[in-house]
Amino acid sequence: MLTGAGVSAESGLGTFRGADGLWNRVNVEDYATPEAFHRRPAEVWRWYAERWRRMQAAAPNAGHQALVRWEGLFPSYLLVTQNIDGLHQRAGSRAVVELHGTLRRARCVSCGASVEMHIALTLPGEPPRCSGGEACGGFLRPDVVWFGEMLPAGAMERAVESAEAGDVFLVAGTSGTVFPAAGLIEVARRAGALVIEVNPEETAMSGLAHLRFAEPAGAALPRLTEEILEWRNRSRG
Ligand code: BV8
Ligand code: ZN
């Protein structure tokens, strides 16, 4: 399955596009690109630090919680998320691939050393400098994928494999506009999966869905999960 910012909307975290979207308030190019970090490291660092604080203050919602059950329901289930907020994991999901990285960690731009964000934020400097084993002194950056950057090694491969393998592909809370993530929907569809979309609004990918639930994820996902569980119990007799 594939999730996006809409799944975290009911946890109080804003989405990116649409009327109240984050990208309506700031320019993507000023914050979510490697060039932006190069030009204005302090501003970019502070902006992500503020998003990290909001993320920490947020709690997983009924949509995140419902998806935890899917791990036990389908053996090849994989939760592919574009979200960097870690709320799926905080809800209890373990089989998660974070296509766009995570804001729970920072990493050194020079040596790649990884630092938990809550620790990085206690270090001096905006952004702080790397103080790992080698103390290379490089800037720490959020461990997220910016526009124009490659996805984490192996993440897309695992995601494609699961999209090709499953009978059902669930897409929830994403506008389906950022690639290569959005391409997974077509991959699943071509491989013969039943594509289900959960989104109150029509999206760029709605045409690929066999089934659409035009509802918030926090309502549709728990209900869908209950229905699958009931069907399971009935079919086991
Ligand atoms: C790459 C992390 C190879 C950081 C993000 C043309 C020009 C330039 C570039 C491109 C181009 N064409 C394609 C590209 C590539 C580019 C891209 O796709 N651009 C698009 C915009 C055209 N992609 C990349 O650059 C990717 N890398 O391709 O590498 C490469 C490398 C070098 C050179 C060439 C190729 C990397 C992209 C990663 C970007 N990082 N985030 C951060 O967060 O700060 S992207 C950002 O969008 C988000 O973080 C999120 O991860 C992603 C997707 O957004 P959504 O999750 O879908 O959120 P959105 O707001 O859009 O939608 C929310 C939906 O929820 C709505 O539909 C709404 O109706 C719904 N909703 C609302 N409430 C609810 C709900 N649904 C359910 N329940 C609710 N309650
Ligand atoms: Zn370093």
Side-chain angles (χ1 to χ4, degrees), residues 154-177:
M156 196 58 198
E157 289 75 4
R158 283 184 70 197
V160 167
E161 210 171 280
S162 87
E164 284 176 336
D167 296 329
V168 180
F169 194 75
L170 181 61
V171 187
T174 177
S175 59
T177 50

Side-chain angles (χ1 to χ4, degrees), residues 176-202:
T177 50
V178 174
F179 285 83
L184 289 168
I185 304 161
E186 180 136 30
V187 169
R189 168 96 202 198
R190 281 197 190 172
L194 178 84
V195 177
I196 307 177
E197 182 179 59
V198 173
N199 197 314
E201 310 288 339
E202 291 241 347

Side-chain angles (χ1 to χ4, degrees), residues 4-173:
V7 168
S8 294
E10 289 155 272
S11 293
L13 299 178
T15 60
F16 296 92
R17 296 158 192 91
D20 307 323
L22 204 52
W23 301 147
N24 282 335
R25 276 174 277 144
V26 302
N27 271 329
V28 179
E29 299 80 26
D30 290 340
Y31 292 96
T33 63
E35 294 77 23
F37 187 71
H38 188 72
R39 269 198 323 267
R40 318 184 307 145
E43 282 85 350
V44 172
W45 178 262
R46 277 191 225 116
W47 188 70
Y48 277 98
E50 179 52 31
R51 281 179 64 193
W52 180 84
R53 284 182 200 103
R54 282 168 203 256
M55 183 179 113
Q56 283 306 104
N61 65 57
H64 296 108
Q65 278 148 10
L67 293 176
V68 181
R69 315 275 301 264
W70 287 53
E71 271 177 34
L73 282 170
F74 304 104
S76 64
Y77 174 76
L78 185 67
L79 202 173
V80 178
T81 188
Q82 301 165 84
N83 298 345
I84 59 172
D85 57 32
L87 288 178
H88 285 301
Q89 292 91 331
R90 276 171 58 195
S93 284
R94 289 294 163 262
V96 181
V97 167
E98 294 174 307
L99 279 187
H100 294 161
T102 177
L103 194 47
R104 291 178 298 163
R105 286 191 304 271
R107 74 163 199 271
C108 171
V109 293
S110 306
C111 73
S114 179
V115 185
E116 293 293 318
M117 191 57 93
H118 68 91
I119 294 172
L121 289 170
T122 64
L123 303 174
E126 284 180 329
R129 299 268 180 184
C130 173
S131 56
E134 302 294 316
C136 83
F139 275 148
L140 295 184
R141 58 161 281 179
D143 199 3
V144 301
V145 179
W146 283 323
F147 285 96
E149 290 189 317
M150 303 299 283
L151 272 49
M156 196 58 198
E157 289 75 4
R158 283 184 70 197
V160 167
E161 210 171 280
S162 87
E164 284 176 336
D167 296 329
V168 180
F169 194 75
L170 181 61
V171 187

